[in-house]
């Protein structure tokens, strides 16, 4: 019987809330706290009478440390699920430490203002030392590890699908399938069609920052950076069919490289349709993806934030999205002295997700692991304190929980490899 504070009430949070409510024996009481309280109340209303979980709602600005601690002192959570924006990860971690509860998020910290001088100085140094320019990396959150350890608390970083389940697949492959893993390709395919010429399936600001940035992969201890979307291939996905895949930089490459140094090459690919890429390039070329504020008739406007207001809310795509997602990991390595390949993945249906939890599959594949990860902590199954990523914990109970709560995994021992 546990109490969970859920911050944010967008697509991902809505799924996690529905899933907590399907699991009332663990999630006895939840507090949904977000910037727009009406959204929290609307989700609560949809669930009232359908669950034994007690649902409370509150308005919060997650940039306000004192307000966060006050809310925690009043609600007394065992865990705080940060399912809002990654900009607030550090402040929410600080609040969890101050109050004394576990922490979970689904995306690595990145700053809202990438020109803040102190952050910029550290960032430029990292760009030079590591060789990739993404605004996010785990170093800021890993710095909290000791503080969480001292309080015997867990900060579970990046517990969505990717990052999240993909790392658990790595731990699973190492535990059950390989003596040594040599290469890993993470493949994220969204075969869904929402009918709009251009929309993003999760928060537009984070999505467009990620996709328009240079790609990067890790090989023999080094990062290799490439111009955005410049490595392209095609892959035939189970449940979806043939799609173009593009190499991106993604945060779990960093943690997997740290925790599984034996893996010689780690790459991450995502599918994009031609219409998405054409619109994104056009918006980038005209400056609409810029993160720096400009002055418009005396008002400060951040172009990418303004664009977010014009684009469809990802949470509103659910009712019109058809098709499936397929996300997983392809490994090559050695077992009992012999070379071996292995593919583990999940196929998730957009329409079935919407029917069950009123959100499309991209939110579903993120919200379900967030609930399952929280359950691992609350049930005392994952106990290693500190600020850690998913591959550091036993994959078996987590993958079993994912199977039970809607994300069963499929396996292939003879996959087509990416070139
Ligand atoms: P949405 O934009 O749909 O939702 C974000 C929510 O956070 C909104 O309810 C928003 O409030 C709230 N919020 C924003 N700022 C604040 C603030 N300062 N204080 C309180 N609440 C705030 O995003 P998604 O649900 O699509 O994504 C949520 C997170 O999940 C993102 O970090 C995203 O990167 C991550 N993600 C991770 C994936 C994975 O596989 N690991 C995949 C997909 C997403 P309001 O309603 O007022 O706008």
């Amino acid at each position: 019987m546990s109490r969970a504070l859920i911050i944010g009430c967008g697509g991902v949070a809505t799924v996690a809330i529905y899933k907590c409510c399907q699991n009332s024996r663990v999630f006895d009481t939840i507090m949904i706290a977000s910037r727009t309280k009406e959204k929290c109340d609307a989700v609560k209303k949809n669930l009232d009478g359908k669950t034994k979980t007690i649902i409370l709602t509150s308005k919060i600005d997650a940039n306000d440390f004192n307000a966060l601690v006050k809310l925690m002192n009043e609600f007394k959570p065992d865990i705080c699920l940060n399912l809002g924006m990654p900009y607030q990860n550090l402040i929410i971690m600080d609040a969890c430490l101050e109050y004394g509860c576990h922490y979970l998020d689904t995306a690595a910290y990145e700053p809202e203002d990438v020109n803040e001088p102190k952050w910029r100085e550290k960032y430029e140094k990292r760009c030079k030392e590591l060789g990739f320019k993404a605004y996010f990396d785990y170093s800021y959150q890993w710095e909290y590890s000791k503080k969480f350890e001292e309080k015997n608390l867990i900060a579970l970083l990046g517990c969505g699908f990717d990052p999240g389940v993909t790392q658990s697949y790595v731990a699973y492959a190492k535990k059950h399938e390989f003596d040594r893993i040599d290469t890993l390709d993470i493949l994220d395919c969204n075969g869904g069609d929402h009918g709009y010429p251009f929309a993003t399936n999760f928060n537009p600001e984070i999505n467009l920052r990620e996709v328009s940035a240079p790609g990067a992969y890790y090989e023999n201890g080094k990062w290799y950076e490439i111009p955005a979307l410049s490595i392209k291939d095609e892959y035939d996905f189970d449940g979806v069919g043939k799609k173009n895949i593009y190499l991106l930089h993604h945060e779990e490459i960093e943690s997997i490289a740290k925790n599984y140094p034996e893996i010689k090459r780690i790459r991450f690919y995502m599918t994009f349709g031609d219409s998405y890429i054409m619109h994104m390039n056009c918006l980038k070329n005209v400056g609409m993806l810029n993160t720096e504020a400009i002055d418009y008739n005396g008002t400060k406007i951040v172009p990418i934030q303004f664009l977010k207001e014009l684009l469809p809310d990802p949470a509103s795509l659910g009712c019109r999205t058809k098709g499936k997602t397929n996300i997983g990991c392809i490994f090559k390595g050695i077992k009992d002295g012999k070379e071996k390949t292995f593919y583990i993945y999940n196929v998730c249906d957009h329409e079935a997700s919407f029917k069950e939890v009123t959100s499309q599959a991209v939110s579903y594949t993120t919200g379900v692991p967030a609930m399952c990860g929280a359950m691992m902590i609350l049930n005392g199954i994952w106990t290693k304190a500190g600020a850690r990523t998913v591959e550091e914990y036993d994959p078996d109970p987590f993958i079993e929980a994912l199977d039970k709560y809607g994300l069963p995994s499929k396996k292939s021992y003879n996959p087509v490899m990416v070139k």
Side-chain angles (χ1 to χ4, degrees), residues 138 142 163 167 223 250-260 266 389-392:
Y138 276 122
W142 281 336
Q167 288 134 286
W223 287 93
H250 224 244
E251 61 232 64
E252 64 264 50
I253 304 179
E254 191 190 2
S255 71
I256 296 168
K258 178 183 161 214
N259 291 313
Y260 290 81
I266 309 170
T389 42
V390 175
E391 71 272 31
E392 295 184 64

Side-chain angles (χ1 to χ4, degrees), residues 86-352:
Y87 307 146
Q88 282 88 31
N89 287 6
L90 305 184
I91 203 160
I92 299 174
M93 289 174 85
D94 280 324
C96 289
L97 282 169
E98 176 72 20
Y99 166 72
C101 67
H102 301 293
Y103 168 89
L104 178 151
D105 65 35
T106 58
Y109 169 71
E110 63 183 272
E112 190 161 7
D113 176 7
V114 294
N115 291 311
E116 198 275 310
K118 241 174 115 184
W119 178 85
R120 192 86 207 173
E121 193 186 322
K122 209 169 162 188
Y123 167 75
E124 308 269 347
K125 190 165 170 267
R126 188 216 71 200
C127 288
K128 270 196 206 122
E129 280 172 11
L130 294 186
F132 65 89
K133 293 194 200 72
Y135 290 144
F136 52 83
D137 76 64
Y138 276 122
S139 64
Y140 303 88
Q141 293 186 266
W142 281 336
E143 274 174 21
Y144 280 69
S145 206
K146 203 156 186 297
K147 287 188 218 161
F148 273 85
E149 269 172 41
E150 279 164 7
K151 297 211 162 184
N152 199 26
L153 292 171
I154 296 176
L156 187 59
L157 312 179
C159 194
F161 208 105
D162 48 335
V165 178
T166 48
Q167 288 134 286
S168 203
Y169 284 167
V170 175
Y172 178 91
K174 180 65 187 174
K175 185 172 174 185
H176 299 288
E177 302 288 348
F178 290 96
D179 297 325
R180 190 188 78 212
I181 301 173
D182 289 330
T183 69
L184 160 64
D185 283 328
I186 302 166
L187 266 54
D188 178 334
C189 164
N190 181 7
D193 182 5
H194 43 58
Y196 287 117
F198 185 69
T200 64
N201 289 292
F202 68 94
N203 185 279
E205 213 178 313
I206 303 302
N207 176 281
L208 290 165
R209 272 188 180 209
E210 177 178 293
V211 181
S212 61
Y217 61 97
Y218 187 80
E219 191 160 13
N220 295 323
K222 273 196 193 146
W223 287 93
Y224 292 88
E225 195 164 73
I226 57 154
L229 307 180
S230 60
I231 294 185
K232 177 185 175 187
D233 207 332
E234 189 186 63
Y235 200 83
D236 196 354
F237 288 94
D238 181 19
V240 177
K242 282 186 185 162
K243 289 273 165 195
N244 287 334
I245 55 172
Y246 295 84
L247 188 141
L248 291 192
H249 175 66
H250 224 244
E251 61 232 64
E252 64 264 50
I253 304 179
E254 191 190 2
S255 71
I256 296 168
K258 178 183 161 214
N259 291 313
Y260 290 81
E262 71 185 39
I263 307 180
K264 295 186 186 74
R265 190 189 68 204
I266 309 170
R267 302 183 296 191
F268 182 99
Y269 289 89
M270 201 178 260
T271 61
F272 299 104
D274 293 343
S275 176
Y276 176 97
I277 291 182
M278 184 191 73
H279 281 82
M280 192 194 72
N281 283 338
C282 183
L283 290 164
K284 187 178 178 181
N285 291 341
V286 298
M288 281 303 289
L289 304 190
N290 287 353
T291 52
E292 286 156 38
I294 54 152
D295 188 273
Y296 179 74
N297 285 347
T299 308
K300 289 248 177 277
I301 293 177
V302 177
I304 196 167
Q305 288 179 356
F306 176 69
L307 174 65
K308 176 182 181 279
E309 296 306 310
L310 299 175
L311 291 174
D313 179 351
S316 72
L317 299 176
C319 59
R320 40 187 300 149
T321 307
K322 294 181 171 46
K324 292 181 169 62
T325 61
N326 176 327
I327 320 173
C329 297
I330 304 181
F331 303 90
K332 195 167 97 180
I334 301 291
K335 180 74 176 173
D336 300 329
K338 284 195 194 121
E339 203 168 82
K340 172 178 177 181
T341 58
F342 174 61
Y343 187 14
I344 177 165
Y345 60 94
N346 163 265
V347 177
C348 186
D349 186 273
H350 284 288
E351 287 172 283

Side-chain angles (χ1 to χ4, degrees), residues 7-13 34-36 39 60-63 83-86 88 106-107 160-163 202-203 206 308 313-314 362 366:
I7 295 184
C9 195
V12 172
S34 192
R35 192 166 53 185
T36 312
K39 288 193 189 172
I60 191 85
D61 176 1
N63 288 308
L83 305 179
M85 300 293 281
Q88 282 88 31
T106 58
F161 208 105
D162 48 335
F202 68 94
N203 185 279
I206 303 302
K308 176 182 181 279
D313 179 351
V362 175
T366 313

